Amino acid sequence: KRLVVLVSGSGTNLQALLDEIAATGTEAYGAEVVAVGADREGIEGLARAERVGIPTFVCRVKDHGTREEWDTALAEAVSAHEPDLVVSAGFMKIVGKEFLARFGGRFVNTHPALLPSFPGAHGVRDALAYGARVTGCTVHFVDDGVDTGPIIAQGVVEVRDEDDESALHERIKEVERRLLVDVVGRLARNGYRIEGRKVVIQ
Ligand code: GRF
């Protein structure tokens, strides 16, 4: 299966996928990363792909007249690589109608909180501020909401009294990277069905 991964930052979730595929082999894992896209230049996530010769592309909102034009351009850029599955790994933009029309049902996102708790761009900070005793991460299919699509898998992470946002986020990412690698591999190898809010992996 062909994966296109979308990033906006450090790309450690992308790196976890690349490392797993390199270690187990494309055949055994069931997928390969054929391209990495971002909404901004000069981020470590793009460098991680370039280092191993994976094609990259950047699609910046400000290069387009409207948000819809950006969304269509992003969909085109992703389509060019003919993905079976698109993975948002720290991609910090909300996609629109056009993108979902093409990739809905095969577009997966990872979120650093236990959805439906703490959706949005500051899930780690919000869980901490709320005083949650456990939080975690969620891998889900993207629908037309924000972090509201059908949940595939979740991992629980305890919140420690001495945690600040970055310490907690690092601990979450340790679980999140393993969860994402596991889920993407199973979706790619086994195939899946989405039945309402349930995801059935064969
Ligand atoms: C991940 O925790 C992701 O859930 C959140 O931002 C982080 C991205 O980390 N949206 P990285 O870029 O994969 O290191």
Side-chain angles (χ1 to χ4, degrees):
K1 290 291 188 303
R2 300 171 58 85
L3 304 178
V4 170
V5 182
L6 301 179
V7 296
S8 293
S10 55
T12 64
N13 278 282
L14 164 68
Q15 192 62 55
L17 283 167
L18 296 176
D19 293 347
E20 178 71 16
I21 293 166
T24 55
T26 301
E27 289 312 302
Y29 183 70
E32 61 178 322
V33 178
V34 297
V36 173
D39 59 333
R40 65 200 76 181
E41 300 279 358
I43 51 160
E44 182 59 15
L46 291 169
R48 294 179 192 274
E50 286 152 11
R51 240 173 261 149
V52 290
I54 292 173
T56 62
F57 59 86
V58 176
C59 194
R60 299 187 312 177
V61 172
K62 63 182 169 208
D63 291 342
H64 298 274
T66 67
R67 182 71 183 217
E68 288 71 21
E69 282 167 14
W70 170 81
D71 187 62
T72 299
L74 181 70
E76 296 285 347
V78 171
S79 294
H81 296 281
E82 298 179 333
D84 296 294
L85 203 58
V86 184
V87 179
S88 160
F91 186 63
M92 297 308 274
K93 289 286 186 301
I94 305 299
V95 296
K97 279 192 183 53
E98 179 61 29
F99 195 94
L100 290 172
R102 294 200 210 186
F103 300 109
R106 52 198 182 107
F107 182 30
V108 168
N109 178 50
T110 177
H111 180 75
L114 292 175
L115 295 173
S117 297
F118 314 118
H122 306 291
V124 179
R125 183 190 310 170
D126 296 342
L128 201 54
Y130 193 89
R133 301 317 297 156
V134 294
T135 186
C137 47
T138 302
V139 180
H140 65 97
F141 281 102
V142 176
D143 66 5
D144 56 2
V146 177
D147 298 327
T148 54
I151 291 173
I152 306 166
Q154 295 187 295
V156 177
V157 175
E158 64 163 7
V159 181
R160 294 180 186 158
D161 294 342
E162 69 277 10
D163 273 340
D164 60 11
E165 183 180 350
S166 63
L168 177 54
H169 201 165
E170 265 322 298
R171 197 173 327 113
I172 291 170
K173 285 169 87 168
E174 282 161 26
V175 175
E176 180 178 36
R177 292 189 278 255
R178 285 201 310 273
L179 196 70
L180 186 66
V181 163
D182 173 60
V183 163
V184 169
R186 286 194 292 125
L187 292 174
R189 288 190 301 274
N190 308 352
Y192 58 91
R193 292 192 317 278
I194 304 176
E195 297 170 350
R197 291 209 57 81
K198 246 169 75 66
V199 176
V200 179
I201 301 180
Q202 263 89 3

